[in-house]
Amino acid sequence: MAEVTVTQFAEVLKVPVDRLLTQLGEAGIKVGGAEDIISEEAKMELLTYLRRAHGRHGEDAAAPRKITLQRKSQQEIKLASTLGRARTVAVEVRRKKTYLNRSVIEEEQRQRQEEVDKQRTVEDVTSQDQERAENDRRAAEQHERDRIEADERRVQEEAARARAEADARDAAEQQARDRTERERERADAERRAAEPPRPSKPARAPESAPSRAPAPGAPTKYGRQELHVSANAKASFKKKQQPAGRYRRSGQVQVEARHGFVEPTAPVKRDVQIPETITVGELANRMAIKANEVIKTMMKMGVMATINQPIDQDTATLVVEEFGHTPIALKEDQIEQQLLETSADIEVLPRPPVVTIMGHVDHGKTSLLDYIRTTKVAAGEAGGITQHIGAYQVQTPKGLITFIDTPGHAAFTAMRARGANVTDIVILVVAADDGVMPQTIEAVNHARAAEVPIVVAVNKIDKHGADPDRVRNDLGKQNVIPEEWGGDVMFVNVSARTGEGIDKLLESILLQAEVLDLKAPTTGLAVGVVLESSIEKGRGPVATVLVKRGTLKAGDPIIAGQEFGRVRALFDALGKQVQTAGPAQPVQVLGLSDAPGAGDDLLVVESERKAREVALYRQGKYRDVRLAGATKKVEDVFSQLGENAGQFVNLIVKADVQGSAEALRDSLSKIGTDEASVKVIASGVGGITESDVSLAAASRARIIGFNVRADGAARSAMKDQGVEVNYYSIIYEALDDVRSWVAGMLKPEIKEQIVGLAEVREVFRSSKFGTVAGCLVTEGVIKRGNPVRVLRENVVIHQGELDSLRRFKDDVGEVRGGTECGIGVVKYNDIRVGDQIECFSRFEVARSA
């Protein structure tokens, strides 16, 4: 394991950092702090110290009073039967021995003696009580000795009884063996008496005569190998090891030694695939090793883990190498690469084009799509503007087309970029009466970045003041050249209100799609992209997905970003439930663990376990990045303790869909100055809950609800904790209000305005008033209460206040231009002829964010 800090080592051991530092100090290991590096030698020293400490505690533990050992032995006894064949009987002999720990008994007696002595010294008893206590003690000791002796006698009796039983069994076995032998000898004698006398030299059988018993190992007609038995079959009943002096027969059974398993001559090495995270049990299963062996090896490496605990890829690689196997590291995008490899061999078929409608806000994008779909979508949008991505598949007379409608507001830049990245053709809608606007140019840049063709729809040609030629000229400046000018961009004049030019626009789209030759595989694991996501009551997380290839079916295990699950239901753009979704078809997917991020890829994997594995890894990596960012902020804490520290408008954003929450969060984060700015504490989708209110109360934040509302528990918590919630349905209204909140936190700007200018003509010196300048007011008015500056050759040499302002001998409040006066400056006497005295005023100007 690589060198780690004390803090990381404490996290691995799951012990507090302070306790680990204390143990390191007790072990004699010097560390400067929690961020010091601890080496492998230091870890081994700490492990040795802890083992020694645990062993010392183990010695102090109470020892057992007695230990009983049991031993078993098995013997075989062959008994003769009435049929003339021996029968083998297995006999098990059990022996038990008990050992007493006299040191424990003496220690207990000593402790009891110490307790009695202590009790006797503490209490002030009479001699009679002491004698009684002594008698009691002696009686208790005698009782204890009697009990110990009784235990010893009982143990000895049990041992003697066990020995007697064993001897009796041995004697019975010996008698049975003797009886069997005598019966066998008697039977042999009777057989020999009944047989005719044998010749002196028996004739040998001819070599060619076949033997009645097959040769050892010769196969029979059933394919088996028979055991080789000698001519005297009764020899098989003889015991192999007979006592000395017994009668032995020469016949023996010969069996060829065979074993079902052969120990490998070399260790088996396996290729072990290791994902980004894997549990200890799964790693042991892939190496064909018991899990406790893997845990022991990891403990030797200094890693404490359980069988179900996930470990990272580096640690798993070290464990695999420790066992002698070959680790194969799998990357996070292994699933995506496998999908790409498998989809390369699948037959591709034509698919409908994916068309994204982009343009400036209120130029008629949704109205144009509304006419094509013959529905009313724009009327249902708040403020008449689209604020989230809508995906629809339309069956036109010219063919099937998938449309994606994107917002045109400046805050929804990320949505437009996302729509351009998943599309085949971009329809740029430009109002003929309005011309090219900032979001129009931005849409052109998104289409060029995605390298997709553009079809320009010049909308609102039926309105008074429409000028399609101006649109062509303005787009020509952006290098969007019409075909009639020799370019490659098709321009179509349309009217979303009357339907003029719609058919021509559809023909242009299908013509462009035919040129692109759009195809995709319809079989295999599906791949798609998340256009939008939300959390709906009664349905849970809902993701709007555009299928890119393959067929998405109900029940498929899926992964989208950091979320995973199984497809519970599919709904098309009209809300009708479907069972499958092919390429270029937008559907709503139910069944994910949470709302995924807009723009995440949706992948169908072979099992839900694999989806969970990749999703948990991505969540862990996101958590590490977030913690790293938080650590960086903690390091910069001293820089935030200045005069303007804490000048933030803390906000919690809750929206109906993921795209709106993303657009709000990005737009709000850009509001503010160096003195005051917006800080988005948290953002998410779904209604406002009680936990959101608690977070807002703890962080002193306001809650912005975009097309969502608070539930009953959240409303009660808002009243109790005084949390302010603002509801919006149009994004620019929310941005304007937040700008006003930030502006209210800014300090007003102090500005100066020159009121008047006087030129010094003569200087008078008085013991009572000091230096007095005789001046002529050349511009404006000199007022008594205003500050002044003394200028010499147009350079400021002093700034202060008026000490006196006189007109002849009278004190006056102001002196206008063209009038002479006497001016005295507070604590400044170095006034010369030719100097200028400038009178000015200061006033505050409210600042805006």
Side-chain angles (χ1 to χ4, degrees):
M1 181 176 179
E3 293 185 349
V4 296
T5 62
V6 176
T7 303
Q8 295 173 345
F9 191 46
E11 292 177 357
V12 173
L13 298 179
K14 293 183 172 55
V15 298
V17 179
D18 298 338
R19 181 178 176 186
L20 181 58
L21 291 173
T22 304
Q23 292 178 348
L24 290 172
E26 293 175 354
I29 302 172
K30 296 182 180 181
V31 292
E35 300 301 327
D36 285 2
I37 300 298
I38 179 169
S39 62
E40 293 294 331
E41 291 78 5
K43 295 178 186 176
M44 296 305 298
E45 292 181 8
L46 177 61
L47 180 59
T48 304
Y49 167 75
L50 294 178
R51 286 176 175 172
R52 191 182 306 114
H54 294 165
R56 184 168 59 252
H57 293 312
E59 294 173 0
D60 298 338
R65 293 177 57 85
K66 61 182 179 179
I67 298 176
T68 302
L69 302 179
Q70 293 184 357
R71 294 183 178 177
K72 297 180 181 180
S73 61
Q74 292 185 353
Q75 298 180 359
E76 294 183 355
I77 300 176
K78 292 188 176 181
L79 301 176
S81 63
T82 57
L83 300 178
R85 300 190 57 168
R87 183 166 59 91
T88 303
V89 179
V91 180
E92 184 182 67
V93 180
R94 299 181 181 177
R95 294 183 175 88
K96 180 170 66 175
K97 278 190 178 183
T98 302
Y99 300 92
L100 297 177
N101 191 347
R102 296 186 179 275
S103 61
V104 175
I105 298 175
E106 293 175 357
E107 180 65 22
E108 291 179 354
Q109 293 178 358
R110 186 183 62 78
Q111 291 180 357
R112 292 193 186 93
Q113 180 65 31
E114 290 177 356
E115 291 176 0
V116 173
D117 295 339
K118 186 183 299 183
Q119 186 68 20
R120 186 173 55 203
T121 56
V122 172
E123 298 179 354
D124 186 15
V125 296
T126 60
S127 58
Q128 184 178 1
D129 294 338
Q130 292 178 356
E131 185 177 357
R132 186 183 300 110
E134 183 69 18
N135 293 335
D136 293 342
R137 184 182 62 78
R138 291 176 180 175
E141 291 177 356
Q142 184 63 34
H143 178 73
E144 182 65 17
R145 285 195 293 271
D146 294 341
R147 185 179 62 80
I148 293 174
E149 292 175 357
D151 292 341
E152 292 177 352
R153 285 195 299 271
R154 185 167 59 254
V155 171
Q156 292 175 359
E157 291 173 359
E158 291 177 356
R161 191 181 303 112
R163 287 195 296 271
E165 292 176 356
D167 294 339
R169 285 194 295 270
D170 293 340
E173 293 173 3
Q174 186 64 32
Q175 291 176 2
R177 287 195 294 270
D178 295 340
R179 190 184 308 111
T180 303
E181 187 66 25
R182 285 195 296 271
E183 291 177 356
R184 186 176 298 133
E185 291 176 356
R186 189 183 305 113
D188 292 340
E190 294 174 356
R191 181 179 56 79
R192 284 194 298 270
E195 289 178 355
R198 296 182 179 181
S200 59
K201 290 185 178 181
R204 288 189 177 182
E207 293 293 331
S208 60
S211 176
R212 296 180 60 185
T220 64
K221 62 179 181 179
Y222 301 104
R224 297 180 307 213
Q225 292 182 356
E226 293 290 346
L227 300 178
H228 175 67
V229 184
S230 64
N232 191 356
K234 292 186 178 293
S236 62
F237 302 113
K238 300 294 287 182
K239 192 171 181 66
K240 290 185 179 180
Q241 295 181 356
Q242 296 289 346
R246 295 287 184 180
Y247 178 79
R248 295 177 179 269
R249 300 188 69 89
S250 60
Q252 294 183 355
V253 179
Q254 298 180 0
V255 183
E256 184 180 359
R258 291 182 179 270
H259 199 283
F261 301 97
V262 179
E263 183 179 1
T265 59
V268 179
K269 293 186 178 181
R270 295 180 173 86
D271 293 337
V272 182
Q273 294 184 349
I274 305 175
E276 298 291 347
T277 57
I278 186 173
T279 61
V280 176
E282 180 65 20
L283 182 61
N285 189 20
R286 295 187 180 186
M287 293 189 296
I289 301 173
K290 292 184 178 180
N292 56 356
E293 297 294 334
V294 178
I295 294 175
K296 289 180 183 178
T297 303
M298 294 179 65
M299 291 178 65
K300 294 178 182 178
M301 297 169 59
V303 180
M304 310 296 291
T306 60
I307 188 172
N308 295 323
Q309 182 174 344
I311 57 178
D312 57 0
Q313 193 178 66
D314 296 336
T315 305
T317 301
L318 294 177
V319 173
V320 172
E321 292 176 350
E322 186 72 17
F323 282 98
H325 300 297
T326 303
I328 300 177
L330 300 179
K331 300 301 181 182
E332 176 195 356
D333 57 349
Q334 189 77 15
I335 299 177
E336 291 89 338
Q337 293 179 0
Q338 292 177 357
L339 289 176
L340 293 175
E341 293 173 1
T342 54
S343 63
D345 301 333
I346 300 176
E347 181 183 2
V348 294
L349 298 175
R351 64 169 177 85
V354 179
V355 180
T356 299
I357 301 179
M358 305 176 70
H360 191 71
V361 62
D362 199 23
H363 274 202
K365 299 181 296 300
T366 307
S367 299
L368 181 63
L369 179 61
D370 176 44
Y371 186 88
I372 298 174
R373 295 197 310 141
T374 64
T375 57
K376 297 293 182 183
V377 178
E381 295 284 357
I385 63 173
T386 301
Q387 304 188 95
H388 58 80
I389 288 181
Y392 316 95
Q393 197 166 41
V394 180
Q395 182 67 49
T396 64
K398 305 295 182 179
L400 194 64
I401 303 176
T402 300
F403 287 97
I404 299 177
D405 187 14
T406 61
H409 194 274
F412 297 97
T413 302
M415 284 191 183
R416 287 191 294 276
R418 196 155 49 242
N421 289 332
V422 300
T423 190
D424 301 319
I425 303 170
V426 170
I427 296 181
L428 183 62
V429 179
V430 185
D433 60 338
D434 204 3
V436 176
M437 301 299 287
Q439 272 66 58
T440 308
I441 300 175
E442 180 188 325
V444 172
N445 295 331
H446 287 320
R448 287 175 176 170
E451 297 181 355
V452 294
I454 300 175
V455 177
V456 179
V458 183
N459 195 19
K460 301 183 181 181
I461 60 173
D462 58 321
K463 292 187 65 175
H464 178 71
D467 189 359
D469 293 335
R470 189 185 69 169
V471 173
R472 287 172 169 79
N473 291 330
D474 293 343
L475 287 177
K477 298 177 182 178
Q478 303 297 328
N479 201 19
V480 180
I481 310 301
E483 286 184 340
E484 53 266 29
W485 291 5
D488 57 351
V489 179
M490 290 185 288
F491 278 68
V492 182
N493 296 335
V494 298
S495 173
R497 189 172 64 86
T498 62
E500 180 182 353
I502 298 296
D503 294 337
K504 185 177 180 182
L505 177 63
L506 296 178
E507 291 178 359
S508 302
I509 294 173
L510 294 176
L511 178 60
Q512 189 70 49
E514 185 178 353
V515 172
L516 294 175
D517 191 19
L518 303 174
K519 293 182 179 180
T522 57
T523 58
L525 300 179
V527 178
V529 61
V530 178
L531 299 178
E532 196 59 271
S533 64
S534 62
I535 297 179
E536 299 181 7
K537 186 175 182 180
R539 303 176 72 188
V542 179
T544 302
V545 178
L546 178 67
V547 181
K548 297 171 66 175
R549 63 173 180 267
T551 302
L552 182 63
K553 301 181 292 295
D556 286 344
I558 55 176
I559 178 174
Q562 303 178 22
E563 310 304 332
F564 66 95
R566 188 178 293 273
V567 178
R568 185 156 49 90
L570 296 173
F571 297 91
D572 60 7
L574 301 178
K576 181 182 177 182
Q577 186 171 359
V578 295
Q579 296 299 321
T580 60
Q585 182 177 355
V587 287
Q588 287 185 332
V589 179
L590 278 65
L592 287 169
S593 56
D594 201 352
D600 291 340
D601 289 334
L602 183 138
L603 304 174
V604 175
V605 295
E606 62 271 13
S607 64
E608 192 171 358
R609 183 182 63 84
K610 178 64 67 177
R612 182 185 293 106
E613 178 182 312
V614 178
L616 292 178
Y617 167 75
R618 292 178 177 177
Q619 292 174 7
K621 187 170 70 172
Y622 172 74
R623 192 183 309 111
D624 294 340
V625 173
R626 186 177 56 184
L627 291 177
T631 305
K632 184 177 180 180
K633 295 178 182 177
V634 171
E635 294 174 354
D636 199 32
V637 66
F638 292 103
S639 64
Q640 300 177 2
L641 299 179
E643 180 182 357
N644 296 326
Q647 296 295 319
F648 293 101
V649 176
N650 296 329
L651 297 177
I652 295 177
V653 178
K654 295 301 289 289
D656 55 343
V657 294
Q658 188 74 31
S660 298
E662 178 186 358
L664 266 174
R665 183 180 65 248
D666 295 342
S667 299
L668 293 174
S669 300
K670 298 176 183 178
I671 298 176
T673 61
D674 295 337
E675 297 182 12
S677 59
V678 175
K679 185 176 182 181
V680 179
I681 302 297
S683 64
V685 296
I688 300 172
T689 61
E690 188 176 3
S691 60
D692 297 330
V693 178
S694 300
L695 177 60
S699 57
R700 297 181 181 178
R702 297 188 183 187
I703 300 177
I704 290 181
F706 190 77
N707 289 331
V708 295
R709 294 295 182 266
D711 54 16
R715 288 193 296 268
S716 301
M718 281 187 273
K719 294 180 181 178
D720 297 338
Q721 303 183 22
V723 176
E724 185 176 353
V725 178
N726 300 86
Y727 298 110
Y728 301 95
S729 58
I730 302 176
I731 189 170
Y732 56 76
E733 293 181 356
L735 299 179
D736 292 341
D737 287 352
V738 174
R739 286 193 185 95
S740 64
W741 299 342
V742 175
M745 301 180 65
L746 297 175
K747 294 181 179 179
E749 184 179 358
I750 306 299
K751 290 190 175 182
E752 296 181 356
Q753 183 178 6
I754 299 176
V755 178
L757 185 65
E759 183 180 351
V760 179
R761 296 295 180 88
E762 191 67 39
V763 177
F764 303 97
R765 303 189 183 275
S766 171
S767 59
K768 182 178 180 180
F769 299 104
T771 302
V772 178
C775 303
L776 175 65
V777 180
T778 57
E779 296 179 9
V781 179
I782 305 296
K783 296 184 178 181
R784 179 185 291 274
N786 291 5
V788 295
R789 295 190 183 94
V790 179
L791 308 178
R792 183 170 298 163
E793 296 180 357
N794 295 324
V795 178
V796 178
I797 60 174
H798 178 73
Q799 180 173 328
E801 298 179 357
L802 288 179
D803 187 15
S804 61
L805 180 62
R806 288 174 173 266
R807 170 74 175 152
F808 296 106
K809 294 183 178 182
D810 300 330
D811 290 334
V812 294
E814 63 179 28
V815 178
R816 296 187 175 276
T819 307
E820 295 181 349
C821 63
I823 298 176
V825 182
V826 176
K827 296 181 181 180
Y828 187 73
N829 297 322
D830 188 19
I831 298 179
R832 302 177 185 178
V833 177
D835 291 348
Q836 291 179 332
I837 298 177
E838 181 183 77
C839 180
F840 63 93
S841 62
R842 295 190 179 96
F843 59 94
E844 297 181 351
V845 178
R847 298 170 60 185
S848 59

